[in-house]
Amino acid sequence: AAGLCPARALLARPGAALRALCGSVRGLAAGPEMHFGFQTVTEAERREKIYQVFESVAKKYDVMNDSMTLGIHRVWKDILVRKMNPSPGTLLLDVAGGTGDIAFRFINYVRSVRERQLQRKLRHHQNLSWQEIAESYQEDKSKSLGDSQVVVCDINKEMLKVGKQKAQHLGYTEGLSWVLGNAEELPFDDDKFDVYTIAFGIRNVTRIDLALQEAYRVLKPGGRFLCLEFSHVSNPLLSSLYDLYSFQVIPVLGEVIAGDWKSYQYLVESIRRFPPQEELKAMIEDAGFLKVDYQNLNSGIVAIHSGFKL
């Protein structure tokens, strides 16, 4: 009878009923269950655990990226910025970009475009005197980004700290700002940015749907969304080798280089839990973006998803 009617059994045992009710309330308060790697946790627990992962790996993040990908992550990020093709005056928001990798590439790219524009301008003014050329060159050189700006937004203080130190060391000061903020609740006005990028960050967002809605909100009409993320490998043989490398080598590298096996075990598991290319594309479209597509790199080890706010 208890099996057929659980409610009757609970009523027969008031203490059990009270404990069950309290457990349900606690479950609702903690939020829905979700994945942290291969573990099942509450939403609140996942947020805390992910924060701890990146707080732990921040100082060794760049070294580990080079070790895990054999330096190929640098090529993937270069491809992302070339796909963006920013022009002088572009306002970029780079979310989960604490270490500055996309921001620095953006600045370098815009400076290069400005330099080419300046050279073309001077070539078309052959009748200028040397002094006029020098003055024009210095005036344009002083605005090497042409009013471009990049705002790096990250939820993790340690990651931002590492990025700021890198920027100071490498001499990046112009057109760069750092903001502590959550991808699911961005601290920016509507219709503010020309481009939104998130590189290897959306996988670690607790509510991807909310992050995509926020990306849409802060972009100007005509603005572009670009996401670089580990994805699902299409080649079966490569997929088997990739799994072997991911689960047998990367956590060991994490322990040897960063003294942190668990964080890198999570990072590997989180890749396997991440939605495949077509599913993420559908999620981006659900957020309101149009002309959504993706480009697989290295047979889908990573993919670049692109969409426009039109």
Side-chain angles (χ1 to χ4, degrees):
L4 292 171
C5 187
R8 186 182 298 170
L10 287 174
L11 288 172
R13 293 179 290 123
L18 183 60
R19 286 194 297 274
L21 179 62
C22 290
S24 299
V25 171
R26 281 197 299 272
L28 289 170
E33 289 186 341
M34 45 183 52
H35 297 294
F36 175 77
F38 292 161
Q39 299 177 43
T40 300
V41 296
T42 66
E43 185 174 319
E45 287 172 336
R46 187 177 194 273
R47 291 181 195 278
E48 179 61 27
K49 283 177 177 291
I50 289 175
Y51 190 93
Q52 289 172 355
V53 164
F54 285 93
E55 190 172 51
S56 171
V57 304
K59 291 180 181 178
K60 295 288 186 178
Y61 189 73
D62 290 335
V63 176
M64 276 303 301
N65 278 347
D66 283 333
S67 302
M68 288 189 300
T69 69
L70 306 177
I72 301 173
H73 75 100
R74 298 173 182 270
V75 177
W76 296 332
K77 290 168 182 172
D78 288 340
I79 293 171
L80 177 71
V81 174
R82 286 201 300 270
K83 193 176 183 73
M84 185 197 315
N85 190 25
S87 57
T90 298
L91 184 58
L92 167 66
L93 173 63
D94 182 38
V95 175
T99 56
D101 277 6
I102 301 302
F104 303 153
R105 283 170 169 78
F106 170 83
I107 291 171
N108 291 342
Y109 193 97
V110 173
R111 281 177 177 170
S112 178
V113 172
R114 282 283 292 171
E115 183 68 26
R116 290 196 298 271
Q117 288 178 344
L118 176 57
Q119 290 173 358
R120 284 197 299 270
K121 176 182 174 182
L122 294 178
R123 278 199 299 269
H124 290 139
H125 292 81
Q126 297 294 333
N127 59 338
L128 292 177
S129 68
W130 170 82
Q131 186 176 3
E132 288 172 326
I133 291 174
E135 288 175 353
S136 177
Y137 185 83
Q138 289 302 320
E139 181 182 348
D140 287 339
K141 195 73 173 176
S142 66
K143 296 181 179 179
S144 64
L145 291 178
D147 298 322
S148 289
Q149 294 278 331
V150 52
V151 178
V152 178
C153 180
D154 201 294
I155 197 171
N156 195 287
K157 293 179 181 178
E158 285 300 312
M159 295 291 281
L160 284 174
K161 182 179 177 181
V162 170
K164 289 177 183 178
Q165 290 171 346
K166 281 174 62 180
Q168 186 176 15
H169 176 71
L170 297 170
Y172 292 102
T173 53
E174 180 192 3
L176 175 63
S177 56
W178 307 85
V179 174
L180 184 68
N182 186 347
E184 299 167 38
E185 194 174 355
L186 293 171
F188 307 109
D189 294 335
D190 297 356
D191 306 330
K192 184 175 178 63
F193 297 95
D194 299 302
V195 183
Y196 172 114
T197 54
I198 183 165
F200 303 116
I202 203 164
R203 189 179 77 257
N204 301 301
V205 170
T206 301
R207 289 281 305 278
I208 295 176
D209 58 333
L210 294 182
L212 292 172
Q213 289 168 23
E214 280 292 273
Y216 188 89
R217 180 183 66 78
V218 301
L219 279 170
K220 298 175 183 176
R224 190 176 192 183
F225 168 87
L226 285 166
C227 171
L228 171 65
E229 188 53 86
F230 287 108
S231 202
H232 290 248
V233 179
S234 55
N235 182 297
L237 177 60
L238 180 59
S239 180
S240 297
L241 293 172
Y242 181 47
D243 281 346
L244 183 66
Y245 176 75
S246 297
F247 288 101
Q248 301 301 321
V249 177
I250 289 179
V252 175
L253 286 174
E255 181 65 31
V256 171
I257 296 173
D260 190 342
W261 179 294
K262 288 184 178 179
S263 292
Y264 288 94
Q265 181 72 26
Y266 155 73
L267 292 173
V268 170
E269 292 174 359
S270 69
I271 294 169
R272 300 310 184 276
R273 287 289 190 185
F274 190 67
Q277 289 89 324
E278 284 292 332
E279 188 176 332
L280 180 59
K281 178 185 176 184
M283 294 175 73
I284 296 168
E285 290 171 336
D286 288 344
F289 290 100
L290 299 175
K291 294 182 68 67
V292 179
D293 62 12
Y294 61 87
Q295 175 187 357
N296 282 330
L297 304 177
N298 296 96
S299 297
I301 290 178
V302 299
I304 299 175
H305 281 74
S306 169
F308 293 86
K309 178 178 178 178
L310 299 175

